[in-house]
Amino acid sequence: FVYSDAYWMVDLGNHVFPAEKYRLVYEKLLHKGAKKENFEAPEPALDNDLLLVHSPKYLKKLKTGRLSQVEIMTMELPYSPELLDFAQLMVGGTILAGRLAMEDGLSVHIGGGFHHAFHDHGEGFCILNDVAVAIRKMQQSGDFRKGMIVDCDVHQGNGTAEIFAEDETVFTFSMHQMDVYPAQKEKSTLDVGFWSDDSDGKYLDSLKSHIPSMYDVFKPDVVFYLAGADPYEKDQLGGLKITLEGLKERDNIVIKGAMQLKIPVVILFAGGYAYDVMDTVGIHLNTIKVAQKLKRKFH
């Protein structure tokens, strides 16, 4: 596991984004028997790492706090130097989780998945694109050549789609709801769209039609899995009707397909905005349980 207490200490004011979920998942894992030595604390990503993805102009604006009101409104987060620290630490966490997965076959970042950040601006609660930076950094370091993003957040991974649009070494797959944010969808390598009130059957059948065949064809060296909790039927920001059992089966399909082919998996939490934060926490914990069970079976 990759985790830092700093993840939940960021002050977002009265905001729908539940930063406390990171602490709650961490505490639940300890309560269930995880040892503190199973958790690794990340270092903030360096500017040189961020510049592998983000423009120097955008990074300078973030560092100096010279974002326009429009840019801050597009981010949908209250800008502060502490917020940038939070974002850089999250990027560092995903880089660390990527490296751990390459060593061990599986890692869980209790955080990450900020897929709406573009190369030159932030959007939708996302300032820096941790997944994109981690992939670029690890490719540069020779950790792997081909990466795949399996994005099952309820919102399209528009930032990562844009960043990797011309890159044949990265496959971006996004399963998302069409009639919610972002209004303007980018083109992923493969997009699968659903509509309000679509439920388990349609969602899981569609996922099974692409996995594991997608892995077989592209043959990635690693899969970054954005296991968003927000397709859940009681989420505030989504309109899909996916049950807790449906989400567990989703996790099983994505992770099992990769593990059967000996592809390392990095799990990132991405979104989750259930009316009761403990529902979101429970969904993230279920993802971890599914992953641990499959790890025991295939490793």
Side-chain angles (χ1 to χ4, degrees):
F1 300 107
V2 174
Y3 169 76
S4 169
D5 279 332
Y7 286 178
W8 60 271
M9 291 180 179
V10 63
D11 184 9
L12 301 178
N14 184 21
H15 199 281
V16 72
F17 186 89
E20 72 269 25
K21 75 176 184 176
Y22 303 128
R23 173 180 58 84
L24 292 167
V25 169
Y26 171 66
E27 289 174 352
K28 287 276 188 188
L29 287 169
L30 289 178
H31 182 70
K32 289 174 184 291
K35 304 286 188 291
K36 288 206 170 174
E37 55 264 31
N38 297 137
F39 295 85
E40 293 210 24
E43 294 292 327
L46 302 173
D47 287 1
N48 283 346
D49 301 335
L50 302 178
L51 289 167
L52 295 170
V53 166
H54 294 291
S55 72
K57 184 178 177 183
Y58 175 50
L59 202 53
K60 187 175 181 182
K61 282 184 183 178
L62 286 174
K63 294 274 184 187
T64 57
R66 290 182 182 163
L67 296 161
S68 69
Q69 277 305 114
V70 171
E71 286 171 314
I72 292 171
M73 284 171 64
T74 305
M75 279 185 349
E76 299 185 70
L77 287 171
Y79 173 81
S80 67
E82 292 74 28
L83 185 66
L84 178 58
D85 292 344
F86 164 84
Q88 284 196 243
L89 192 61
M90 277 286 177
V91 177
T94 298
I95 293 169
L96 176 58
R99 295 213 158 122
L100 292 170
M102 296 305 292
E103 292 169 13
D104 188 60
L106 173 70
S107 69
V108 178
H109 184 190
I110 300 174
F114 292 88
H115 58 168
H116 297 310
F118 285 67
H119 80 282
D120 61 354
H121 70 276
E123 274 192 22
F125 314 160
C126 303
I127 305 167
L128 298 170
N129 196 310
D130 60 296
V131 193
V133 175
I135 288 175
R136 284 270 186 262
K137 169 77 172 170
M138 292 178 71
Q139 284 179 323
Q140 184 192 57
S141 304
D143 293 299
F144 62 80
R145 194 177 80 79
K146 292 169 72 177
M148 179 179 280
I149 298 168
V150 176
D151 191 337
C152 292
D153 192 276
V154 81
H155 306 103
Q156 195 217 23
N158 56 343
T160 39
E162 182 256 1
I163 288 164
F164 293 119
E166 304 298 322
D167 190 337
E168 292 184 358
T169 68
V170 181
F171 190 109
T172 53
F173 172 70
S174 184
M175 274 202 14
H176 52 264
Q177 186 179 338
M178 294 296 289
D179 48 340
V180 289
Y181 176 91
Q184 169 94 28
K185 310 288 192 278
E186 298 292 325
K187 191 175 185 326
S188 308
T189 312
L190 179 59
D191 286 296
V192 179
F194 299 92
W195 299 90
S196 287
D197 298 327
D198 281 348
S199 55
D200 289 2
K202 184 175 181 182
Y203 187 86
L204 296 171
D205 285 348
S206 183
L207 189 57
K208 286 175 194 165
S209 74
H210 296 294
I211 293 176
S213 60
M214 197 167 67
Y215 299 151
D216 280 321
V217 173
F218 186 71
K219 295 183 169 48
D221 299 312
V222 61
V223 167
F224 285 78
Y225 172 37
L226 276 64
D230 43 11
Y232 178 49
E233 59 190 344
K234 293 178 184 173
D235 195 88
Q236 297 178 70
L237 300 186
L240 299 184
K241 294 286 181 274
I242 312 302
T243 64
L244 294 175
E245 285 305 313
L247 289 169
K248 282 197 273 190
E249 180 56 21
R250 172 201 72 173
D251 297 336
N252 184 61
I253 293 165
V254 173
I255 300 166
K256 182 179 178 183
M259 286 191 174
Q260 282 178 320
L261 296 168
K262 301 287 189 283
I263 303 167
V265 178
V266 186
I267 294 171
L268 308 168
F269 277 3
Y273 314 92
Y275 288 98
D276 182 348
V277 70
M278 293 314 295
D279 283 349
T280 298
V281 169
I283 291 163
H284 290 321
L285 288 168
N286 283 341
T287 300
I288 293 169
K289 277 186 220 160
V290 168
Q292 287 177 322
K293 189 175 177 184
L294 289 167
K295 177 83 168 10
R296 285 193 291 270
K297 182 176 179 181
F298 289 105
H299 287 262

